[in-house]
Amino acid sequence: MNDAEEQRFIDVMGETLASWQLARATGRVYGYLLLRAEPSSSEQLREALGLSAGAVSQATRELAAWGLARTIPQPGSRRLLVEAAGGFEQLLAASHERSRAFIRALEAAEPLTDDAHAAERLRAVTGLFSAYVDAGEQMLRSRR
């Protein structure tokens, strides 16, 4: 992979995670980490991606919270290394967790609907997202 292709991939990951309401920098850090065999330091991430220390720190926290990265403490130092966790399975599981929260919100809204038509439409949307999560869970189980 050449530098331009790598940069395109990193930028696509930034846009993708931004569509999930995460910081674009978080997606760019994730894209960068996915391409690396070894964990990266905050300094490496800042230099490679042109990000501030704060952006790298926030990205690392968000990725860890989503289960998409893990931090590795360095003995005798406050510094951490960070690496992408898993891969497709972690990404899909994180997406499912967000979808489950959406499904819970949809289910809780049914009593608020004005009429039977609105309630049915809400149930249809809920069913669509539930089917998405169920299919993804089945795929994850088959890969394990």
Side-chain angles (χ1 to χ4, degrees):
M1 178 181 299
N2 67 37
D3 288 344
E5 290 172 330
E6 181 176 320
Q7 188 60 50
R8 272 193 299 278
F9 173 74
I10 289 169
D11 289 342
V12 165
M13 293 305 296
E15 295 302 321
T16 300
L17 269 63
S19 74
W20 295 1
Q21 306 307 309
L22 292 171
R24 185 168 282 102
T26 300
R28 294 185 70 235
V29 168
Y30 186 56
Y32 180 85
L33 293 173
L34 283 172
L35 299 177
R36 302 292 169 267
E38 298 294 323
S40 298
S41 69
S42 293
E43 295 81 17
Q44 288 170 315
L45 293 168
R46 285 196 314 264
E47 183 179 313
L49 300 172
L51 298 172
S52 69
V56 168
S57 179
Q58 177 184 348
T60 300
R61 282 192 309 275
E62 287 182 337
L63 291 171
W66 275 63
L68 298 176
R70 67 178 144 265
T71 56
I72 304 163
Q74 297 303 289
S77 173
R78 291 180 37 202
R79 294 176 50 178
L80 299 172
L81 296 178
V82 61
E83 68 180 349
F88 177 73
E89 289 85 0
Q90 266 69 26
L91 198 57
L92 192 56
S95 175
H96 289 170
E97 189 52 41
R98 303 271 298 188
S99 293
R100 283 188 202 97
F102 186 57
I103 291 165
R104 287 189 298 273
L106 292 169
E107 290 170 340
E110 190 171 338
L112 305 174
T113 57
D114 287 341
D115 63 8
H117 175 71
E120 179 54 37
R121 183 179 57 225
L122 190 60
R123 282 192 296 274
V125 172
T126 303
L128 175 68
F129 277 88
S130 294
Y132 159 75
V133 171
D134 291 345
E137 291 296 324
Q138 183 177 7
M139 184 172 53
L140 284 174
R141 281 191 299 275
S142 71
R143 291 179 56 99
R144 291 182 184 133

